[in-house]
Amino acid sequence: MSTLVLLLGDQLSTSMSSLEGFDKTSDIVLLAEVREEATYVKHHKKKIAFLFSAMRHFAEELRSNEYQVKYVKYDDSDNKGSLYAEVEAFINSKKKEGGQVIKRVVVAHPAEYRLAEEIKTWQTKLSVEVDITEDNRFVAEPDAFKKWADGRKQFRMEYFYREMRKSTGYLMDDKQPEKGKWNFDSDNRNKLPKDHKVPEPTKFSPDDITNEVISLVKEHFDDHFGDLSDFHYATTRKQALKVLDEFIEQRLPLFGTYQDAMTQDEAWMYHSHVSFYLNCGLLMPHEVMKAAQDAYDNGDAPINSVEGFIRQILGWREYIRGFYWYFMPGLKNDNYLEAKRALPKFFWTANTQMNCLSQCVSQTKENAYTHHIQRLMVLGNFALLAGLDPEQVNEWYLIVYADAYEWVELPNVSSMVLFADGGQLASKPYAASGAYINKMSNYCSHCHYSVKEKTGPQACPFNYLYWDFLIRHQSRFEKNPRMAMIYRTMSKMDPEKLSHMKEDANVFLLKVENNEEV
Ligand code: FAD
Ligand code: DLZ
Ligand code: SF4
């Protein structure tokens, strides 16, 4: 009698709770590349190549550590197409063989609601016991967010983060925050100086396993979005640890300073690029934060960088995960601003004269990655101001990034970017005119449009879209204390100027709807 442990594609760690008590003499691990998971949205080609390669490498690692592993490749002739069908077929094959019978299936709780709901039904369909164990790839216990959130009217990340700092001890000086402040964001808003050279990201040449997977993706997912060329991600834990080490050494010291900066033709900046690995189990959050804390303790990185980085993981990542489970399934249907406009074609092609958007979409296509401010303040800001349909925007973000899983993508897109939850996550929309993009980047100096102009054919579309957004949603936002000042400014503006901006926005949005080049 043995146990079958199903490891999902984003659970590539020997410390998964589902492997606790694993008996190498009788138990078996199942990993399966299946159509259902690879196509529930049409993931970026590089995302599929990355995950399949990481799954295959992980299976090899398990085997070399004497785990018994059943690995189902996507192009195996008897691939059943879904995780359930693979589990069922494996149990039946063992029964037929007359060998060790599977008496129990164990799987760690899936990170996505969709799959978690499905797996909960397996117990009634399979003839064996199905145990769902805790998803232990996070710092906080699964119910920590609920305990914190129940009874609150507002769910601000900053307060959740402080609790996490206190309970874990990161950057704490006894009971006080290190250097007397919880947050050093005010030091973290610099533009990259002209001619500043950012270190090259850590890259790996594809090995035989990755090359085989790349061919498979070319053959089976050719109609999916994204480039496959220049694949250089880590695909093993060892390589992911190298990405982390090089980040700590080469980038962390300036991470904070340039955290919000964007630069023409520079995709990777001073970010860590560890989200791919954290989200599929190759790296765990504590080891990533500990590396940053050690750099601080050794005097190798300043407080603004280390606090900024730890906040992204201990604050934002943990908070977002808790927020997702607390507000699902309702979160998926939120559309507070009643946005309905279809996603423009240029989100797929990058064919737009708006240089900032063209840069961000091109890099997304090329790398299945852009950094946070590009996702939030360029792509997201446009989606918010243009009133794009949350369902289509969410699908796009879930498809295009190699670190995208619904648990992290949906709250970031619906609640943070689109204000679709009406303010449960953010106290006001992250709406901005071209001035913000110009302040944080050099995109505008390479653009067809002029960021200084507010109306007319050369005016930066973000400028009139911003005011049009404020006018359209005045009744929703004018009483918001954090927006009172901007509405006061608006009330003093020349009504004719406002009306021109509204007209320009209408003309522009009509062009967007007709997929004319903008
Ligand atoms: P760094 O800037 O180096 O940050 C370090 C780590 O902090 C990241 O690896 C990530 O694990 C964590 N982190 C930072 N910000 C967030 C956040 N807002 N939510 C959760 N974790 C965070 N992140 C994803 O992992 N998957 C997504 O699908 C995703 N979609 C996003 C969509 C939008 C619209 C926005 C605004 C943000 C999204 N993020 C997502 C958050 C963030 O943009 C990425 O985590 C980050 O860009 C990954 O790059 P990095 O590893 O270089 O991050
Ligand atoms: C994202 C993904 C893809 C593309 N393919 C697979 C797969 O073939 N097999 C698998 O087990 N997991 C895959 N995944 C990851 C799952 O979609 C992920 O485990 C769930 O979305 C839960 O987060
Ligand atoms: Fe983007 Fe406007 Fe700047 Fe062009 S001018 S890069 S559209 S913000």
Side-chain angles (χ1 to χ4, degrees), residues 187-221:
D187 300 344
N188 290 357
R189 293 185 186 129
N190 289 44
K191 195 167 172 164
L192 205 67
K194 205 165 173 251
D195 300 328
H196 179 102
K197 191 95 193 77
V198 181
E200 268 287 288
T202 309
K203 293 186 176 180
F204 303 90
S205 302
D207 63 2
D208 290 348
I209 293 181
T210 302
N211 280 325
E212 190 180 301
V213 164
I214 289 174
S215 303
L216 182 148
V217 172
K218 269 188 199 146
E219 191 180 334
H220 295 274
F221 302 98

Side-chain angles (χ1 to χ4, degrees), residues 6-12 30-41 43-44 47-49 51-52 55 71-72 74 79 81 83 109-116 135 137 221 279-280 324-325 398 402 404-407:
L6 172 66
L7 283 182
L8 303 172
D10 57 352
Q11 298 179 343
L12 307 181
L30 172 66
L31 281 144
E33 298 167 5
V34 290
R35 215 172 76 84
E36 211 166 75
E37 291 309 307
T39 61
Y40 73 91
V41 292
H43 305 283
H44 192 298
K47 177 179 180 184
I48 301 179
L51 210 65
F52 283 7
M55 286 168 73
Y71 193 93
V72 181
Y74 195 81
N79 187 308
L83 293 168
H109 198 287
E112 293 190 347
Y113 186 87
R114 163 192 68 83
L115 192 57
D135 181 0
R137 299 168 309 148
F221 302 98
N279 292 356
C280 75
Y324 173 75
W325 287 104
L398 192 54
Y405 299 86
E406 192 186 74
W407 69 265

Side-chain angles (χ1 to χ4, degrees), residues 51 63 74 255 376 390 402 410 426 477 485:
L51 210 65
R63 284 193 185 109
Y74 195 81
F255 170 86
L376 180 65
L410 181 63
F477 294 129
M485 201 158 90

Side-chain angles (χ1 to χ4, degrees), residues 7-59:
L7 283 182
L8 303 172
D10 57 352
Q11 298 179 343
L12 307 181
S13 167
T14 49
S15 57
M16 284 313 300
S17 62
S18 49
L19 287 172
E20 236 167 68
F22 189 87
D23 183 342
K24 289 182 181 172
T25 61
S26 58
D27 298 342
I28 187 150
V29 172
L30 172 66
L31 281 144
E33 298 167 5
V34 290
R35 215 172 76 84
E36 211 166 75
E37 291 309 307
T39 61
Y40 73 91
V41 292
K42 292 176 86 170
H43 305 283
H44 192 298
K45 292 192 192 81
K46 240 174 208 158
K47 177 179 180 184
I48 301 179
F50 162 64
L51 210 65
F52 283 7
S53 176
M55 286 168 73
R56 290 183 187 197
H57 280 99
F58 185 64

